Amino acid sequence: ARSVYVDYVDYDAVAHHAGIMRPESLDALVGLDAVLGRLEQVAEAAPRDYRIVVLSDHGQSQGEVFADRYGESLSDLVSRLAGTSVTGTELNTEGSAQVGVLTGEQPGVVASALRAGSSSTMEQAEAEEAQAQAAAASEQSLLVFGSGNLGLVYAGGGAHRLTRDEIERRWPALLPGLTGHEGVSFVVVETADGPVAIGPSGEHRLRDGVVVGPDPLTAFRPEAAAFLLRASSMPEAPDIAVNSLLDESTGEVAAFEGLVGCHGGTGGWQTRPMYVHPAHWPVIEEKPLGAEALHQQLVAWLTTQGIDLAQPA
């Protein structure tokens, strides 16, 4: 094969639950090191001149889970502050149905029923009313996901990302309650000036870098603002992105899901990915930001090795 890509997930899976420096996690690294050694031996014996690139798409941070630290999950906190129903990621069958409503799946089901029953005016009216009730019920509902120490809060019943003003009108206590919580470093919301990171007493506008009051990103790496701007610009970005605390003395964070070792937000070792490559290969940028930039680098290296990706293997 001209190029081979292999994904090793052992350490990631073990460290999520055991911790990043536990013996069982380090054992997984020892096993991975042995595999890389065998690959080097195979490459030396192979008729094709192979070069090896090793990369991690992220590091891992560690710390006590948010719910254990503060006695309530992020879903419970959001529900308490907003005074409305919240569906979290720990779902039963009923919860799954509620998620369907919030994400637009339920109205689609109703629409299908409407088309199937279009020969009956009564059935059509009932289907339209059911769809309206589902949308109305979800307008004040919130859907909360946890991805490591990143919390994703989506509002139901809308086709666009809510702005800060809209969030404050619907749930006046939500943003102040989140940013004032000791387990939250900052939240990111959309405004007329673009996405803004809001901390306990200061704000950082991600698009132009303007900071008002104490910068909520001071404790994080210099790339944090660019990282957040990239994430906030994605069409899947939540209405509210919540980043947990970062303990500056220990580097610990608090995952919003039940993981001791985590990644997803920013803070701690999760923001220190690495890649190792032949030293003489040209580098497009010293610190590629995001998966797209890293992909471009890998493709560029393949091209310099004479591999035309447009041609079949």
Side-chain angles (χ1 to χ4, degrees), residues 2 299 302-303 306-313:
R2 299 176 306 168
V299 169
L302 289 174
T303 302
I307 296 177
D308 183 1
L309 298 180
Q311 298 297 320

Side-chain angles (χ1 to χ4, degrees), residues 85-119:
S85 61
V86 169
T87 300
T89 52
E90 297 298 325
L91 301 174
N92 53 28
T93 304
E94 293 180 358
S96 299
Q98 188 175 352
V99 170
V101 173
L102 292 175
T103 58
E105 180 180 324
Q106 185 64 32
V109 172
V110 175
S112 298
L114 189 152
R115 288 191 297 269
S118 58
S119 59

Side-chain angles (χ1 to χ4, degrees), residues 190-201:
E190 188 66 34
T191 71
D193 298 313
V196 175
I198 307 172
S201 54

